[in-house]
Amino acid sequence: DWAALLVEYTFAPHWFVAVLDQYNYGNPDESGRLHYLLGSFGFITGNSRFAFSYGKQRAGIFCIGGVCRPVPATNGLTFNFTTSF
């Protein structure tokens, strides 16, 4: 069982900041009940999106800013560039 909380704020016409916390509250092993906290900020222009993220992210489908994509598990700083044609 998982719970997730996402807070996203867009300011000016192009900038955004977001915080995501995913919590594995249903793990029968209490030491496996982990928080996956991830902070992101970036810039959106036209069909392109540039984003920096820092934190712990579990593998799976990740959606933020209206863009969904499969991601590997990570821990640390990541940079993403997404564009649509």
Side-chain angles (χ1 to χ4, degrees):
D1 296 324
W2 288 83
L5 175 68
L6 172 65
V7 178
E8 182 179 61
Y9 180 71
T10 302
F11 52 97
H14 301 285
W15 295 93
F16 71 90
V17 62
V19 176
L20 171 67
D21 183 20
Q22 295 177 315
Y23 178 55
N24 182 3
Y25 70 89
N27 194 326
D29 177 9
E30 287 192 29
S31 66
R33 296 179 184 173
L34 303 173
H35 282 272
Y36 291 80
L37 187 61
L38 182 72
S40 299
F41 74 93
F43 184 78
I44 302 168
T45 180
N47 293 337
S48 298
R49 180 177 175 273
F50 304 86
F52 284 94
S53 301
Y54 183 79
K56 190 172 186 177
Q57 181 173 302
R58 69 185 191 110
I61 302 296
F62 184 68
C63 299
I64 193 166
V67 178
C68 296
R69 58 192 166 74
V71 296
T74 60
N75 189 13
L77 180 66
T78 58
F79 171 74
N80 292 300
F81 170 69
T82 307
T83 192
S84 299
F85 299 101

